[in-house]
């Protein structure tokens, strides 16, 4: 008997040592001490029955049961709910540095999460940073129930604009993930009022569309009032994006919180803020493109330049899908007209235009364009689920689908179209060779350009034929023309500059009155793996004259997917593209990488929580100790 008791005691001691090595929070240790009587009971039972085996089995069951019960305890949920929040620490705002400092938690009444502290200390971590001055009126953070946040008013004179607002409101609410809420809250309701000022009917994002907004959040004893005002849907959508960054789930207290007592205006520096995604080199599935659009909306980027095809790959089916298979990596890696319309609609409700580029196929561009945007057929190509407001997406998006995009990217290959010739190697005459790819080994782009005469055939009726008002062409294409003005009309032509920044190629076009989109390859080609700070600090227009700046439509980062697929897409794009987003939205003359690091780090975590696998920008210890790694 005594020997069995001694063995039982020895096993208990070993179990205690294992528990101590786990470095569990002190609350967990206290809980286990309180329930140690159950373990002692098992020990005595095993001693009486002289069975160490019984002790091992029953003891294991008791220990597992205790651990299972621990997982339901609120403080343990707090411990493991967020990887960057530990209940042994609390955060306080340093009034001098306006940064949150980490301290030991002395009592439960003193607890404050890092996220809550950051929202009430210094400038809130909004990304991109608003351009207008923030006014704080008794700023504080208040808790509320997720189900009590409501859109009390969506006011717009134009019915089509209001339908877009309803779609944006649904997205806003769906992005608030359901979390286990506990305890009493500070306010009963969070009421959102969105007002579109004037009688605008703009449902398409043109270069002249106002994307600015006014946002004000106030509170009384029982509710929070959010007021959003804008002259367009696109400005109101941007405001909702900012509002979503001012709402968070505090895992330490198990409640949603919102910042109140602030007011500001916001307007982007440029009307074109884009990402070029190459889906010709490696096929990117539709769901991955949608995930990219979600991330773009979070960063207020408003243009997806979809580089769908290139010289050796044509994964697009517009008439004969069997021909398209020869231009794709496999038969199931082909985009259809339905896919394009689906992406255009998905993007439009998120305030994003889609700029299509069908490289090396200009002779068939009219046929392609008409096959995609045939107004009679496009509505039937899509399925439209009901929204939370009871309005079908089909009706909400009819106005979006009823018009064609107002701009197109003509790429660089096939430029001999402008010389009155035609590229005989189009997908209509698809070539299948031993590579299993659509490829023309005889088509020497550079030699074709060198043979161009002094004067070439103007664009002529192409914009009218496609019903577009703007045509974008890569600058390396245009550089082959000796007389640009005789070929391209500066009223509808936009030069897309992709040379290195040191070449200053854009000045050639700016000085001749052409509009320009800038994508300097040495800084903004993300496949070259620039650092986020390099992307962030590049502001070439700061050295331009006012006249030149007025011709800069905007800028975009580019991701060529020669060595990127859907598995590495997120980490190659983000958070570098987010850094770019603030450069073209805020365009602050005073660039502070240190301060931007802390805000971008918070925003990167938001993106990860939303399902976008953005790469980290610093060690996690630096994230938990703001300002210590600068």
């Amino acid at each position: 008997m005594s020997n069995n008791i001694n063995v039982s005691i020895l096993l208990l001691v070993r179990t205690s040592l294992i528990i101590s090595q786990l470095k569990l929070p002190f609350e967990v240790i206290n809980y286990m001490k309180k329930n140690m009587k159950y373990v002692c009971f098992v020990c005595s039972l095993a001693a009486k029955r002289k069975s160490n085996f019984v002790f091992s089995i029953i003891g294991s069951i008791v220990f597992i049961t205790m651990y299972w019960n621990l997982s339901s305890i609120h403080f343990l949920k707090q411990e493991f709910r967020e990887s960057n929040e530990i209940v042994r620490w609390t955060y306080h705002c340093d009034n001098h540095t306006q940064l949150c400092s980490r301290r030991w938690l002395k009592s439960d009444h003193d607890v404050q999460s890092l996220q809550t502290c950051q929202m009430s200390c210094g400038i809130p971590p909004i990304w991109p940073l608003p351009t207008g001055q923030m006014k704080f009126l008794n700023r504080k953070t208040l808790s509320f129930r997720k189900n009590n946040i409501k859109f009390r008013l969506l006011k717009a004179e134009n019915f089509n604009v209001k339908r877009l607002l309803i779609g944006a409101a649904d997205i806003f609410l769906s992005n608030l993930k359901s979390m286990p809420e506990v305890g009493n809250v500070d306010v009963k309701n969070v009421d959102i009022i969105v007002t579109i000022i004037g009688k605008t009917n703009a449902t398409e994002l043109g270069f002249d569309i106002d994307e600015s907004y006014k946002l004000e959040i106030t509170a009384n004893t029982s509710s929070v009032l959010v007021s959003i005002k804008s002259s367009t849907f696109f400005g109101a959508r941007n405001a909702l994006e900012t509002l979503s960054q001012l709402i968070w789930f505090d895992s330490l207290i198990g409640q949603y919180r919102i910042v109140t007592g602030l007011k500001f205006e916001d307007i982007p520096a440029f009307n074109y803020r884009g990402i070029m995604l190459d889906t010709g080199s490696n096929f990117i599935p539709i769901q991955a493109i949608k995930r990219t659009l979600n991330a773009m909306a979070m960063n207020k980027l408003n243009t997806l330049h979809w580089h769908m095809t290139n010289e050796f790959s044509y994964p697009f089916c517009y008439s004969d899908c069997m021909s398209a298979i020869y231009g794709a990596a496999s038969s199931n890696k082909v985009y259809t007209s339905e896919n394009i319309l689906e992406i255009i609609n998905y993007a439009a409700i998120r305030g994003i235009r889609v700029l299509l580029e069908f490289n090396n196929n200009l002779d068939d561009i009219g046929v392609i364009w008409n096959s995609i945007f045939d107004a009679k057929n496009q509505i039937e190509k899509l399925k439209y689920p009901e929204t939370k407001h009871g309005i079908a997406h089909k009706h909400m998006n009819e106005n979006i689908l009823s018009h064609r995009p107002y701009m197109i990217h003509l790429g660089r290959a096939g430029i001999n179209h402008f010389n009155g010739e035609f590229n005989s190697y189009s997908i209509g005459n698809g070539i299948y060779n031993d590579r299993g790819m659509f490829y023309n080994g005889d088509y020497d782009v550079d030699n074709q350009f060198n043979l161009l005469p002094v004067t070439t055939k103007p664009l002529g009726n192409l914009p009218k034929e496609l019903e577009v008002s703007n045509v974008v062409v890569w600058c390396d294409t245009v550089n082959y023309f000796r007389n640009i003005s005789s070929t391209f009309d500066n009223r509808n032509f936009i030069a897309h500059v992709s040379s290195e920044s040191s070449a200053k190629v854009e000045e050639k076009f700016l000085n001749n009155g052409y509009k320009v989109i800038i994508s300097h390859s040495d800084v903004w080609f993300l496949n070259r793996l620039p650092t986020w700070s390099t992307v962030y600090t590049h502001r070439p227009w700061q050295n331009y004259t006012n006249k030149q700046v007025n011709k800069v439509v905007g800028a975009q980062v580019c991701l060529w997917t020669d060595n990127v697929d859907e598995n590495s897409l997120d980490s190659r794009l983000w958070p570098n593209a987010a850094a770019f987003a603030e450069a073209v939205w805020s365009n602050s003359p005073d660039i502070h990488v240190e301060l931007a690091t802390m805000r971008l780090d918070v925003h990167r975590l938001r993106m990860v929580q939303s399902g976008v696998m953005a790469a980290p920008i610093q060690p996690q210890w630096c994230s938990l100790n703001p300002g210590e790694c600068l």
Side-chain angles (χ1 to χ4, degrees):
M1 175 78 71
S2 59
N3 290 333
N4 286 319
I5 294 176
N6 291 335
V7 171
S8 300
I9 294 175
L10 179 61
L11 290 173
L12 272 177
V13 171
R14 288 181 177 178
T15 304
S16 301
L17 289 173
I18 293 173
I19 293 173
S20 64
Q21 291 174 358
L22 291 176
K23 297 182 180 179
L24 296 173
F26 64 90
E27 297 93 338
V28 177
I29 301 299
N30 290 336
Y31 174 83
M32 297 186 74
K33 286 180 180 179
K34 292 179 182 178
N35 291 274
M36 194 59 70
K37 58 184 179 181
Y38 299 113
V39 179
C40 293
F41 171 75
V42 173
C43 293
S44 61
L45 182 63
K48 290 179 181 178
R49 298 193 176 187
K50 302 182 180 181
S51 175
N52 290 326
F53 177 76
V54 173
F55 169 79
S56 300
I57 297 297
I58 301 179
S60 299
I61 294 174
V62 172
F63 184 80
I64 292 172
T65 303
M66 290 173 58
Y67 192 81
W68 182 268
N69 291 334
L70 280 171
S71 65
S72 65
I73 298 177
H74 178 58
F75 59 73
L76 195 65
K77 282 186 176 180
Q78 295 167 352
E79 178 72 14
F80 294 104
R81 186 179 291 134
E82 294 289 346
S83 61
N84 67 331
E85 294 180 344
I86 304 175
V87 296
R88 288 172 290 182
W89 300 96
T90 186
Y91 290 85
H92 290 274
C93 182
D94 187 316
N95 293 328
H96 176 67
T97 63
Q98 290 295 290
L99 298 176
C100 293
S101 60
R102 189 164 71 158
R103 303 178 183 178
W104 284 105
L105 177 62
K106 296 180 179 179
S107 67
D108 292 340
H109 301 288
D110 194 38
V111 64
Q112 181 174 235
S113 68
L114 174 60
Q115 210 168 2
T116 297
C117 180
Q118 288 172 326
M119 286 295 180
S120 56
C121 184
I123 299 176
I126 301 173
W127 195 276
L129 188 68
T131 54
Q133 182 180 3
M134 288 189 184
K135 297 180 180 179
F136 300 113
L137 308 171
N138 189 27
R139 178 170 55 152
K140 55 185 175 181
T141 67
L142 299 175
S143 59
F144 66 95
R145 297 279 184 231
K146 175 181 176 289
N147 292 335
N148 290 338
I149 183 168
K150 307 289 183 182
F151 283 89
R152 296 300 180 188
L153 180 63
L154 295 172
K155 183 179 180 181
E157 296 291 337
N158 184 275
F159 183 62
N160 292 323
V161 174
K162 187 168 184 177
R163 288 187 293 185
L164 281 174
L165 277 180
I166 292 173
D170 284 339
I171 293 171
F172 173 87
L173 294 175
S174 64
N175 286 341
L176 292 176
K177 299 184 181 299
S178 297
M179 301 293 287
E181 301 176 70
V182 298
N184 298 323
V185 295
D186 298 322
V187 293
K188 293 182 179 180
N189 301 308
V190 176
D191 298 329
I192 305 174
I193 298 177
V194 181
T195 304
I196 302 296
I197 303 171
K199 297 182 179 181
T200 179
N201 60 354
T203 57
E204 185 179 20
L205 185 59
F207 289 142
D208 58 343
I209 294 297
D210 181 11
E211 294 183 77
S212 66
Y213 63 90
K214 297 179 181 179
L215 175 64
E216 183 176 7
I217 307 177
T218 58
N220 55 34
T221 56
S222 61
S223 63
V224 172
L225 177 63
V226 179
S227 174
I228 293 173
K229 294 181 180 180
S230 178
S231 61
T232 67
F233 155 75
F234 301 97
R237 196 223 67 87
N238 288 330
L240 288 176
E241 192 60 53
T242 300
L243 176 62
S244 69
Q245 296 183 16
L246 297 171
I247 297 173
W248 69 100
F249 183 77
D250 191 325
S251 58
L252 292 189
I253 62 174
Q255 294 176 348
Y256 283 93
R257 300 190 75 84
I258 183 172
V259 179
T260 65
L262 75 163
K263 176 182 180 181
F264 59 87
E265 299 180 16
D266 197 7
I267 182 172
F270 295 98
N271 291 333
Y272 184 105
R273 309 176 302 279
I275 288 179
M276 189 221 73
L277 180 60
D278 165 29
T279 63
S281 300
N282 272 312
F283 184 84
I284 305 296
I286 291 298
Q287 284 304 118
I289 297 176
K290 287 183 176 181
R291 191 172 67 249
T292 299
L293 289 168
N294 292 339
M296 290 177 64
M298 292 182 68
N299 291 276
K300 301 187 179 74
L301 292 169
N302 67 358
T303 306
L304 174 66
H305 171 188
W306 190 353
H307 182 93
M308 188 176 297
T309 66
N310 52 34
E311 290 87 346
F312 53 84
S313 176
Y314 203 97
F316 173 60
C317 163
Y318 66 93
S319 58
D320 182 5
C321 286
M322 290 303 297
S323 297
I325 293 174
Y326 295 127
S330 66
S331 59
N332 63 344
K333 293 185 177 182
V334 176
Y335 302 109
T336 65
S337 298
E338 289 84 357
N339 294 147
I340 293 177
L341 294 175
E342 182 182 357
I343 289 298
I344 288 177
N345 278 287
Y346 193 87
I349 305 177
R350 288 158 178 80
I352 301 171
R353 67 169 73 88
V354 177
L355 174 61
L356 296 173
E357 177 186 352
F358 298 95
N359 201 22
N360 199 32
N361 204 48
L362 288 181
D363 54 321
D364 285 344
I365 192 63
V367 177
I368 294 173
W369 208 248
N370 289 325
S371 70
I372 299 172
F373 301 107
D374 183 357
K376 295 180 181 179
N377 298 327
Q378 56 181 305
I379 295 296
E380 286 78 7
K381 292 179 179 179
L382 298 177
K383 297 179 181 180
Y384 304 89
E386 293 286 327
T387 70
K388 294 179 181 179
H389 292 271
I391 297 180
H393 278 292
K394 175 178 180 180
H395 304 296
M396 184 170 62
N397 294 334
E398 277 179 352
N399 191 64
I400 301 171
L401 290 172
S402 64
H403 55 65
R404 304 180 178 200
Y406 70 94
M407 61 190 300
I408 185 174
H409 203 299
L410 297 182
R412 72 178 297 269
I415 199 65
N416 51 353
H417 176 89
F418 298 122
N419 193 31
E421 302 175 4
F422 293 92
N423 176 10
S424 59
Y425 299 104
S426 67
I427 191 60
N429 302 315
I431 298 175
Y432 183 82
N433 65 5
D434 56 359
R435 296 189 186 189
M437 291 282 192
F438 172 76
Y439 180 78
N440 172 22
D442 299 326
Y443 184 66
D444 189 337
V445 176
D446 290 337
N447 287 337
Q448 292 289 334
F449 288 141
N450 291 334
L451 295 175
L452 289 173
V454 175
T455 59
T456 52
K457 184 177 179 180
L459 275 171
N461 295 324
L462 185 59
K464 184 177 180 180
E465 176 188 349
L466 302 180
E467 298 180 27
V468 297
S469 56
N470 293 106
V471 174
V472 186
V473 179
W474 291 106
C475 69
D476 57 349
T477 296
V478 182
N479 280 334
Y480 285 99
F481 289 93
R482 302 178 187 178
N483 191 343
I484 299 175
S485 60
S486 66
T487 305
F488 299 101
D489 187 342
N490 62 12
R491 290 175 298 180
N492 55 25
F493 167 71
I494 301 175
H496 190 175
V497 178
S498 57
S499 58
E500 293 194 356
S501 56
S502 58
K504 299 182 179 180
V505 171
E506 63 271 17
E507 294 184 5
K508 172 182 178 181
F509 299 99
L510 294 172
N511 293 335
N512 283 281
Y514 288 96
K515 290 176 285 189
V516 167
I517 296 171
I518 303 175
S519 295
H520 286 150
S521 58
D522 55 326
V523 182
W524 287 340
F525 274 27
L526 301 185
N527 50 292
R528 296 188 177 185
L529 303 178
T531 63
W532 77 265
S533 57
T534 300
V535 174
Y536 181 75
T537 56
H538 186 56
R539 318 282 173 92
W541 46 79
Q542 292 187 347
N543 298 320
Y544 298 166
T545 65
N546 291 334
K547 184 177 180 180
Q548 289 175 324
V549 171
N550 291 335
K551 289 295 181 179
V552 177
V553 177
Q556 74 177 29
V557 290
C558 300
L559 183 63
W560 301 97
T561 59
D562 299 57
N563 56 355
V564 178
D565 63 7
E566 61 175 309
N567 300 301
S568 55
L569 177 65
D570 288 2
S571 59
R572 285 294 183 92
L573 277 175
W574 313 103
N576 283 10
F580 165 81
E582 179 157 297
V584 291
W585 177 281
S586 307
N587 189 29
S588 174
D590 300 320
I591 303 174
H592 299 287
V593 174
E594 296 81 6
L595 297 178
T597 300
M598 291 180 285
R599 287 188 299 105
L600 181 57
D601 191 55
V602 174
H603 187 60
R604 178 255 170 190
L605 181 59
R606 288 192 200 107
M607 298 178 70
V608 171
Q609 291 171 341
S610 71
V612 178
M613 295 296 101
I617 65 173
Q618 63 180 359
Q620 189 175 13
W621 189 91
C622 300
S623 301
L624 296 173
N625 296 271
E628 295 295 326
C629 297
L630 302 180

